[in-house]
Amino acid sequence: MRRLTVYERHTGKLKKPLALLVVSDLHDEPYEDLLPLLNEADAVLAPGDVSDRYRQSASNGVRFLKEASERLPTYFSVGNHETRQGDYRALMEAIAGTGARVLVNSYERFGEIWIGGWYAPEIVKKPDMLDAFEKLDGAKVLLCHKPHEAIELMRGRDIDLIVAGHAHGGQIRIHGQGIYAPGQGLFPRYTRGVVEERLIISAGAGNPSRMPRWGNPCEVVKIILD
């Protein structure tokens, strides 16, 4: 069961609010329950891990991006599960073929805002674009899969909203505290919710791990940006 969590982010830069549906960490799971949510959004943001590296599968994730992009502007940036697929290039070609806008250390204009996607340049073999991105005029929204990297590398940069996933809400949550997150270890700090006003972390729409989620349902996030 996935829950819908709604956040608001005020920038003062938009004439009209935008509803951004964030589907992070789908991990190649069924997605049909997500489709009705597209009716109440202006765009879809997928900040990584539509695939599942453990099963080396991506068919559901690719189909979701295709169906989403047929209905709404859809923006995808990579996660660690994409970069650790056996044939990364073939997967990225399949994702590009869905009609989703693939942002790998790149950015595009969408109405009044800029949307960018960032991943470690040494892994994706694409130059860093953060310096150019933060100099753009207008509101800037960045997809950055790993929240701890957003904190480490982007604090202090002129970016209005950063959207992340990866931490799976801490997998097991007790009294609001996640137990473990990749890249952060035990009792991680950045697992879900709003951090420092502009970083919004999804607990993830799927679960690739054999360890069940407890006190931590899968979620889809909607951000009202104005």
Side-chain angles (χ1 to χ4, degrees):
M1 184 70 178
R2 296 178 175 117
R3 68 180 175 191
L4 176 66
T5 307
V6 181
Y7 300 105
E8 296 182 1
R9 171 64 174 138
H10 177 68
T11 69
K13 298 179 180 180
L14 277 68
K15 296 178 182 177
K16 181 181 178 181
L18 286 174
L20 305 174
L21 188 70
V22 180
V23 180
S24 184
D25 300 86
L26 182 60
H27 290 299
D28 203 37
E29 294 186 3
Y31 60 85
E32 287 75 13
D33 61 308
L34 305 180
L35 298 179
L37 300 176
L38 302 178
N39 298 327
E40 300 177 3
D42 296 301
V44 175
L45 307 181
D49 284 5
V50 297
S51 64
D52 183 344
R53 70 181 178 90
Y54 301 120
R55 293 179 291 154
Q56 287 290 293
S57 64
S59 57
N60 280 326
V62 169
R63 280 197 296 269
F64 168 73
L65 292 176
K66 185 176 188 299
E67 292 201 44
S69 64
E70 288 172 350
R71 303 185 188 198
L72 289 175
T74 298
Y75 296 87
F76 167 82
S77 66
V78 299
N80 59 296
H81 277 246
E82 279 78 49
T83 63
R84 298 178 73 175
Q85 287 284 324
D87 194 336
Y88 169 72
R89 180 173 296 182
L91 174 59
M92 295 303 291
E93 288 177 355
I95 290 173
T98 65
R101 309 303 299 172
V102 179
L103 302 176
V104 183
N105 289 357
S106 60
Y107 48 83
E108 292 188 6
R109 187 81 180 186
F110 171 59
E112 293 186 83
I113 69 175
W114 290 94
I115 301 177
W118 184 92
Y119 202 83
E122 65 274 14
I123 295 177
V124 295
K125 309 302 181 186
K126 297 278 188 178
D128 200 321
M129 37 61 85
L130 288 176
D131 289 343
F133 185 67
E134 70 171 333
K135 293 175 184 176
L136 297 169
D137 292 330
K140 297 175 283 288
V141 176
L142 184 68
L143 282 60
C144 174
H145 183 65
K146 300 178 180 180
H148 58 284
E149 292 187 339
I151 290 292
E152 293 166 3
L153 302 173
M154 296 158 201
R155 180 180 278 144
R157 285 189 177 269
D158 184 11
I159 300 172
D160 298 280
L161 172 65
I162 304 173
V163 180
H166 186 60
H168 300 166
Q171 198 68 32
I172 293 171
R173 294 183 71 83
I174 300 175
H175 301 301
Q177 170 65 59
I179 298 301
Y180 175 81
Q184 298 182 62
L186 292 173
F187 307 111
R189 294 182 62 185
Y190 312 114
T191 58
R192 68 178 303 272
V194 182
V195 180
E196 298 180 1
E197 295 187 359
R198 64 174 189 157
L199 171 60
I200 296 180
I201 307 167
S202 169
N207 180 32
S209 172
R210 293 181 179 178
M211 179 184 296
R213 295 171 68 125
W214 189 81
N216 176 35
C218 293
E219 74 171 354
V220 177
V221 168
K222 183 161 71 172
I223 302 171
I224 308 300
L225 183 72
D226 68 7

